[in-house]
Amino acid sequence: MATERTLSILKPDTIEKNKAGEALAIIEATGLRPVAARMVHLTRKQAEGFYYVHRERKFFGELVDFMTRGPVLVLVLEGDNAIARYREVMGATDPAKAAEGTIRKRLGANVGENACHGSDAPETAKFEIGYFFPGFEVG
Ligand code: CMP
């Protein structure tokens, strides 16, 4: 299996609830390892740039409002099959549909305020890691 890196964001709702440690404990229990971290309060421009693929979606404004409402914890996670594994650990985008034990089931409120973000493919991971950690090696 290939060692991969993926980008994780613990979103403003998780930080507001003081649950970053709980989310990190779930992540670490799976064997995924943080190899870079940054706490940042995104500007609208940064959030819009990060989520530009969603710019035509009707929830885009709401997503940017939410992601800029407070600081986030941005992490690069490393491990075998990290991208797919972290998506499993996060659970479905809508916390109501997320499996037991996942971060979104434990900490998410709804499809907008869903506790965390993770890259969905190798190309996205490359873009997203570079967005927050310029020059950082992706794979
Ligand atoms: P994330 O994995 O960060 O990627 C895009 C985000 O858009 C997603 O998590 C959700 O937080 C958000 N999102 C997706 N669908 C909706 C929706 N219908 N309404 C509001 N936000 C949404």
Side-chain angles (χ1 to χ4, degrees), residues 4-131:
E4 277 180 339
R5 288 178 170 176
T6 190
L7 189 91
S8 158
I9 301 181
L10 303 182
K11 294 183 176 182
D13 54 336
T14 300
I15 306 304
E16 283 160 12
K17 291 186 224 158
N18 254 359
K19 296 290 187 185
E22 193 171 324
L24 206 44
I26 297 172
I27 291 168
E28 289 181 326
T30 69
L32 289 170
R33 186 178 298 281
V35 292
R38 233 186 111 185
M39 191 112 201
V40 52
H41 192 153
L42 296 174
T43 63
R44 291 194 75 81
K45 209 168 178 176
Q46 282 174 315
E48 285 166 1
F50 182 77
Y51 280 121
Y52 81 100
V53 290
H54 297 302
R55 64 194 178 282
E56 308 293 348
R57 310 289 286 273
K58 64 177 188 305
F59 60 78
F60 187 64
E62 200 182 310
L63 175 61
V64 172
D65 287 346
F66 168 59
M67 290 301 291
T68 56
R69 142 178 132 186
V72 297
L73 181 58
V74 189
L75 301 157
V76 178
L77 303 176
E78 183 177 273
D80 287 339
N81 251 344
I83 296 169
R85 275 175 63 208
Y86 183 52
R87 292 184 71 75
E88 246 175 69
V89 173
M90 289 194 299
T93 303
D94 182 353
K97 297 178 186 148
E100 283 303 329
T102 61
I103 299 172
R104 285 170 169 159
K105 178 73 176 184
R106 289 284 293 275
L107 303 175
N110 54 58
V111 74
E113 302 200 10
N114 65 353
C116 54
H117 167 84
S119 310
D120 62 5
E123 313 74 61
T124 342
K126 191 169 181 176
F127 165 75
E128 294 183 351
I129 292 171
Y131 197 83

